[in-house]
Amino acid sequence: MAHVTERIRLVVLYGGRSAEHEVSRVSGRYVAECARAAGLDVDLLGITRDGRWVPPPAVALEHGAADDALPALGDDLPTVSVDGALERRPGESPVVFPVLHGPFGEDGTVQGLCEMAGVPYVGPGVLSSAVCMDKPTSKSLLAAAGLPVARHMVLHGGDVSPETAADLLAELGSPVFVKPANMGSSIGVSKAAGVAEVAEALSLAAEYDERLIIEEFVPGREIEVSVLGNEELRASLPGEIVPGGEFYDYADKYLNDTAELHAPADLPAEVTDEVQDLAVAAARALHVEGLARVDFLYDEAASPGRRFIVSEINTMPGFTPISMYPRLWAVSGLDGPALIRELVHLALDRHHRRSAHTRTER
């Protein structure tokens, strides 16, 4: 890992235009608090729902205020303008932490901006972020790498007809999961059985993306593993989600407090080793560096090689106080401040490594 002698200034970028704006607000506060506890200088830069980049005092800050508002993150935390965020000051290394979930932040867009500006940033790069955000593409690459994924079909919302729901059920069985191709936090996701339910689920998913993915139902326990590193990846102890409802949806994650989160999961040692190895393999297959959370479905009664199905890879998982990514590292030996410090150094390490390559014609 690169040796850093300059003072690190962490710019926490939070909010965003996606439907996961609310989650990002909470994640931003947690990251900022952990970074300060780790001894880092912290600046805050928010993105409103309508896409404006502003320091928090420039907008209403109360939770639940107007749609374009951002949350109060603490009066004692300094804020910064866009120009200030990217400014290089003597003796200082700026690093951007884009705690943005979903489109317009987790999908390679902000990562590309940081690359163009030559600023180090936390999390995977442009390609990996875009690939992992797009569920059909990520599943294709995982399958090509020999990793188990659920059977699925991909549709364009404009191609849905009155016969589509019945055709999907005939191909994939019942029930199915219907999802927007690009979205996180289970937003727009439905578990549907029967033609009427599937048709309604397709309509809901199409509100969030023009491409839809429909997956077969895979029975099993929901297991998650946190991954950390650049060229050398390591996996946390696995955790388990026990949903409070039909599946682990947005309300279960952030509103109802009905899901049970077990960290670590109650798994035999050899099964823990297996899922950790699969998590690293899945991350490598999608060129992940920095961090990711890899989600699995675990059916202990399934045939060998199919006990674990890779559900998805999240390149900027929730960083709220109850989120599984930091919780799993906490039970694996890295508390919040130590985790943020390592993520920042991984960002600098990758930036220095990539900067060593010639980018212009000789």
Side-chain angles (χ1 to χ4, degrees), residues 6-11 84-89 92-96 118-121 348 351:
E6 296 179 318
R7 179 75 177 175
I8 295 172
R9 174 170 58 91
L10 187 67
V11 180
L86 304 182
E87 179 187 359
R88 288 173 174 79
R89 304 166 189 167
E92 178 185 80
S93 292
V95 178
V96 173
V119 176
Y121 57 95
L348 287 166
H351 179 74

Side-chain angles (χ1 to χ4, degrees), residues 209-274:
D209 197 4
E210 61 184 2
R211 291 166 60 244
L212 317 176
I213 182 168
I214 302 87
E215 301 175 3
E216 68 173 335
F217 171 71
V218 178
R221 298 161 61 182
E222 297 190 30
I223 304 296
E224 299 183 349
V225 179
S226 296
V227 174
L228 182 67
N230 284 341
E231 295 167 298
E232 296 292 330
L233 295 174
R234 69 184 193 271
S236 72
L237 290 170
E240 180 174 6
I241 306 292
V242 181
E246 278 287 309
F247 66 100
Y248 194 39
D249 62 7
Y250 183 88
D252 225 8
K253 290 177 179 178
Y254 303 112
L255 302 177
N256 298 336
D257 196 27
T258 54
E260 297 178 21
L261 281 64
H262 301 296
D266 182 15
L267 295 170
E270 66 275 10
V271 175
T272 292
D273 291 342
E274 178 183 353

Side-chain angles (χ1 to χ4, degrees), residues 35-212:
R36 292 192 72 199
L40 303 178
D41 294 333
V42 178
D43 284 338
L44 298 167
L45 182 59
I47 301 178
T48 63
R49 291 183 188 276
D50 60 4
R52 290 180 295 118
W53 292 50
V54 292
V59 294
L61 298 182
E62 293 301 320
H63 182 76
D67 282 348
D68 64 350
L70 294 169
L73 295 188
D75 294 336
D76 57 340
L77 289 172
T79 62
V80 67
S81 66
V82 179
D83 291 341
L86 304 182
E87 179 187 359
R88 288 173 174 79
R89 304 166 189 167
E92 178 185 80
S93 292
V95 178
V96 173
F97 198 136
V99 198
L100 302 167
H101 309 308
F104 309 110
E106 192 180 348
D107 57 355
T109 50
V110 169
Q111 290 75 14
L113 176 63
C114 291
E115 293 279 1
M116 290 181 66
V119 176
Y121 57 95
V122 172
V126 176
L127 175 63
S128 180
S129 297
V131 163
C132 291
M133 191 75 231
D134 189 89
K135 295 178 178 68
T137 302
S138 62
K139 287 184 185 296
S140 295
L141 292 175
L142 289 167
L147 294 162
V149 298
R151 290 189 304 127
H152 59 278
M153 298 179 69
V154 181
L155 296 175
H156 192 284
D159 294 333
V160 174
S161 70
E163 294 78 30
T164 299
D167 293 343
L168 291 169
L169 291 170
E171 179 67 26
L172 298 174
S174 181
V176 293
F177 278 98
V178 180
K179 308 176 181 181
N182 285 271
M183 189 57 66
S185 292
S186 299
I187 292 174
V189 175
S190 304
K191 181 181 179 182
V195 170
E197 283 189 8
V198 172
E200 184 178 353
L202 290 169
S203 178
L204 173 63
E207 294 179 13
Y208 294 94
D209 197 4
E210 61 184 2
R211 291 166 60 244
L212 317 176

